[in-house]
Amino acid sequence: FIKCYLTPKQSPFFFNKKYLKQFQSCTAAESKQQVPGYHYITNVLNFIERHYRIGELYMEYIRDGCRENGEVCKKCSEKDWVGPRFSRVPAPYPDPDKPGHYTSVFNTPTTDNNGQLREVDDVAPRAVIKRPYKAGTISPDNVEQLKEVSIRYCVEEKDVASYVKHLEELKMMSAIRENERRKKREKECSKTYEDYDWNTLIDSGKLNSLKVMELDKYLKRHDLSTIGKREDKIKRIKADFYINRTNDAAIDAETSDDDTLSGDGESDSDDD
């Protein structure tokens, strides 16, 4: 008889997902430093910042990207090129002389008119359409403008119009969600201490679902301090509830039992 144990399957990617989320949620530098794996996460982010170009649905690793800033990182200095050093392959660029076509890779510029390195997504259709849309200078009804974008960035006119309509739908949905959040906030603000079933919230562990301003309603009602973080306030409420409120309920129950027994005794004496 052979007995074996299976080890839980672990993905090599995002094995520290918990700490990554914790790192991203921290706003203060001191708080980030307290997250387990701080130095590892920081090194990875610094490497990405110096060696990657990130844009609209676009992420490209640049070999020796750190050299462009005049500072060579340890990884690039230790592992130099085995063969001849290559220059960067330029991003595709529409051919102004041949609408609907891109220039040859050998003739594609890597810099703009000012001699600076081309910006990320400088000719990416999705990105360039978003810019005028946010500025309010493009709409699906402006046929001439849609045609101009279509020719300039090598994309069909119907696709340009479709994406502009998609952006309008996203904007409308965002407005609807914001309106719902506003109504929810107004409803939460209008609720009073009596509108909450504190016994159920605390006993069922749902106190964490309340917002800070809702927790403050309990604290203010029972003359407790509202200073501190969210976790501190939750602990303060639980301590007050289990120590004071529970004791009060027990005392009330004992008093009620004593009254009942006393009433029974009087009833018995009357019968005699």
Side-chain angles (χ1 to χ4, degrees):
F1 178 75
I2 299 176
K3 187 176 182 180
C4 64
Y5 296 93
L6 296 177
T7 57
K9 184 178 180 181
Q10 294 183 350
S11 173
F13 300 103
F14 304 115
F15 60 91
N16 55 347
K17 181 179 179 180
K18 173 183 176 181
Y19 301 123
L20 284 173
K21 286 186 174 181
Q22 189 176 345
F23 182 89
Q24 289 180 325
S25 63
C26 294
T27 55
E30 295 180 355
S31 300
K32 288 182 180 289
Q33 294 176 3
Q34 303 301 321
V35 177
Y38 163 77
H39 294 286
Y40 167 75
I41 298 173
T42 303
N43 286 337
V44 172
L45 292 178
N46 289 338
F47 184 84
I48 291 176
E49 182 180 359
R50 300 175 65 183
H51 297 82
Y52 281 81
R53 286 170 64 84
I54 303 174
E56 181 79 17
L57 302 178
Y58 164 78
M59 185 173 182
E60 179 187 17
Y61 169 69
I62 306 298
R63 180 75 166 87
D64 282 350
C66 55
R67 295 181 185 273
E68 296 178 356
N69 299 324
E71 298 179 3
V72 183
C73 68
K74 182 178 179 181
K75 180 178 178 61
C76 293
S77 61
E78 292 178 350
K79 296 184 178 181
D80 203 355
W81 293 78
V82 177
R85 186 181 299 275
F86 283 88
S87 59
R88 177 181 298 185
V89 177
Y93 195 84
D95 191 340
D97 299 327
K98 295 181 179 180
H101 294 78
Y102 286 90
T103 58
S104 169
V105 65
F106 301 104
N107 299 326
T108 301
T110 57
T111 58
D112 56 19
N113 296 331
N114 298 323
Q116 301 295 326
L117 189 66
R118 285 171 52 192
E119 294 184 2
V120 177
D121 292 336
D122 58 344
V123 293
R126 285 170 55 101
V128 297
I129 292 174
K130 280 184 178 180
R131 295 167 194 162
Y133 179 79
K134 290 182 178 179
T137 58
I138 189 173
S139 67
D141 300 327
N142 193 332
V143 180
E144 292 297 328
Q145 195 171 26
L146 297 178
K147 185 176 181 179
E148 180 183 351
V149 173
S150 171
I151 296 174
R152 184 174 181 181
Y153 298 107
C154 296
V155 60
E156 294 188 17
E157 186 176 340
K158 64 180 182 64
D159 293 330
V160 177
S162 175
Y163 189 63
V164 174
K165 290 181 180 179
H166 174 66
L167 292 176
E168 288 188 336
E169 292 174 357
L170 292 179
K171 184 178 180 180
M172 180 181 64
M173 294 302 296
S174 177
I176 293 175
R177 289 193 296 269
E178 177 59 30
N179 187 43
E180 292 176 350
R181 286 193 293 267
R182 180 181 57 79
K183 290 182 178 179
K184 185 178 180 180
R185 286 194 299 268
E186 292 176 353
K187 183 178 180 180
E188 291 172 349
C189 292
S190 63
K191 293 177 69 175
T192 62
Y193 172 87
E194 287 75 14
D195 294 327
Y196 296 89
D197 185 354
W198 296 104
N199 293 357
T200 303
L201 287 171
I202 296 174
D203 290 337
S204 62
K206 294 182 179 180
L207 203 61
N208 295 326
S209 63
L210 298 182
K211 295 184 177 180
V212 174
M213 67 173 186
E214 294 178 293
L215 298 175
D216 288 343
K217 294 177 182 179
Y218 181 99
L219 297 173
K220 292 178 180 178
R221 169 56 68 92
H222 298 288
D223 297 326
L224 300 174
S225 174
T226 57
I227 300 175
K229 296 182 179 180
R230 174 189 179 86
E231 293 76 12
D232 299 330
K233 295 183 178 183
I234 292 176
K235 291 179 181 178
R236 198 172 300 145
I237 292 174
K238 288 182 177 180
D240 176 78
F241 177 81
Y242 287 120
I243 295 175
N244 299 324
R245 312 303 153 207
T246 306
N247 289 343
D248 292 344
I251 293 173
D252 292 340
E254 291 179 1
T255 304
S256 177
D257 292 340
D258 292 341
D259 293 341
T260 302
L261 293 174
S262 176
D264 292 341
E266 293 176 357
S267 176
D268 292 341
S269 62
D270 291 340
D271 291 339
D272 293 341

